[in-house]
Amino acid sequence: GAGVSQSPSNKVTEKGKDVELRCDPISGHTALYWYRQSLGQGLEFLIYFQGNSAPDKSGLPSDRFSAERTGGSVSTLTIQRTQQEDSAVYLCASSPGVVLARAKNIQYFGAGTRLSVL
Amino acid sequence: KQEVTQIPAALSVPEGENLVLNCSFTDSAIYNLQWFRQDPGKGLTSLLLIQSSQREQTSGRLNASLDKSSGRSTLYIAASQPGDSATYLCAKTSYDKVIFGPGTSLSVIP
């Protein structure tokens, strides 16, 4: 597609349920990033993928959070046993480069998924 | 601890004014500094990216500078317009992390 696509755009769930958030990056982009933006908070970096592998998962808030990427394209962020503090906007971005540190790797963001845990 | 701060937190200016948004960061290990714009309910739009070897980048009415030694970046917006109203975030990229500042909320009054 022309841009980064995230689905669903809004998700309301009950505490304790599992949710899956999906990100379709720009075609050909090898790097993919997940962020979280809580109400009134700054943007929090969660994880990034180089191809299908995630070199550093330490940004994930807890072991209830996991992410995977298949075929070097679509990524899913899964939150198990959701808690109210998981309520936030989850943003995905992609960039052309493989290495995060590559200086010219401009990140292109999706519109986000707004997660509300009741 | 790596931190990125932005000053001011909010800014309201009349249309036509020139303005400067500030971004400060600790830890001079930086690969690039990126400025984004976020409109309510929408994702982020990249405005400018400055590589660590560069001092500034320009795009239209926007100019961003980077001073690694002092840990500062500024975003200069010339001749502000109501359509510039948004939240502006800076993000510092090191080898394996991207750290965002809290943002500056800008309102340009017609």
Side-chain angles (χ1 to χ4, degrees):
Chain A
V4 178
S5 177
Q6 291 187 247
S7 60
S9 55
N10 284 282
K11 176 71 177 178
V12 181
T13 190
E14 295 179 349
K15 178 181 173 181
K17 294 281 181 68
D18 298 351
V19 295
E20 274 193 1
L21 312 180
R22 177 186 168 105
C23 174
D24 279 281
I26 292 173
S27 179
H29 280 193
T30 54
L32 184 146
Y33 317 81
W34 282 100
Y35 300 88
R36 177 170 73 172
Q37 189 169 33
S38 303
L39 187 63
Q41 302 292 319
L43 209 62
E44 178 186 8
F45 175 70
L46 300 179
I47 191 172
Y48 87 97
F49 287 89
Q50 293 178 201
N52 292 334
S53 63
D56 184 355
K57 300 180 181 180
S58 62
L60 295 175
S62 75
D63 58 9
R64 296 185 295 103
F65 287 72
S66 63
E68 66 174 14
R69 189 180 185 196
T70 56
S73 182
V74 172
S75 176
T76 54
L77 178 68
T78 301
I79 308 173
Q80 296 178 311
R81 305 180 302 282
T82 51
Q83 304 294 313
Q84 288 183 333
E85 61 263 27
D86 299 334
S87 296
V89 176
Y90 289 81
L91 289 161
C92 173
S94 70
S95 67
V98 173
V99 178
L100 183 68
R102 187 158 298 167
K104 296 183 181 179
N105 269 342
I106 292 177
Q107 296 180 42
Y108 299 84
F109 280 77
T113 293
R114 182 175 299 278
L115 175 66
S116 300
V117 182
L118 305 178
Chain B
K1 178 183 176 182
Q2 297 187 61
E3 287 188 347
V4 178
T5 57
Q6 290 186 245
I7 294 173
L11 182 64
S12 182
V13 300
E15 180 177 4
E17 275 203 5
N18 302 323
L19 56 100
V20 175
L21 307 181
N22 297 289
C23 173
S24 298
F25 50 89
T26 58
D27 187 354
S28 59
I30 177 173
Y31 284 86
N32 63 57
L33 191 292
Q34 196 165 353
W35 283 92
F36 294 89
R37 166 184 175 142
Q38 186 171 31
D39 293 282
K42 296 186 178 180
L44 300 176
T45 300
S46 177
L47 298 173
L48 289 164
L49 181 146
I50 312 173
Q51 302 174 41
S52 62
S53 59
Q54 297 175 323
R55 286 190 172 269
E56 65 178 332
Q57 281 287 319
T58 298
S59 176
R61 295 183 292 109
L62 305 180
N63 175 276
S65 66
L66 175 64
D67 184 341
K68 289 193 301 179
S69 61
S70 65
R72 294 179 62 184
S73 177
T74 60
L75 179 67
Y76 176 83
I77 302 177
S80 58
Q81 302 172 358
D84 295 332
S85 299
T87 297
Y88 291 81
L89 299 109
C90 65
K92 166 183 173 286
T93 297
S94 55
Y95 183 74
D96 60 352
K97 292 279 194 296
V98 180
I99 303 175
F100 281 79
T104 293
S105 178
L106 172 66
S107 294
V108 180
I109 312 301

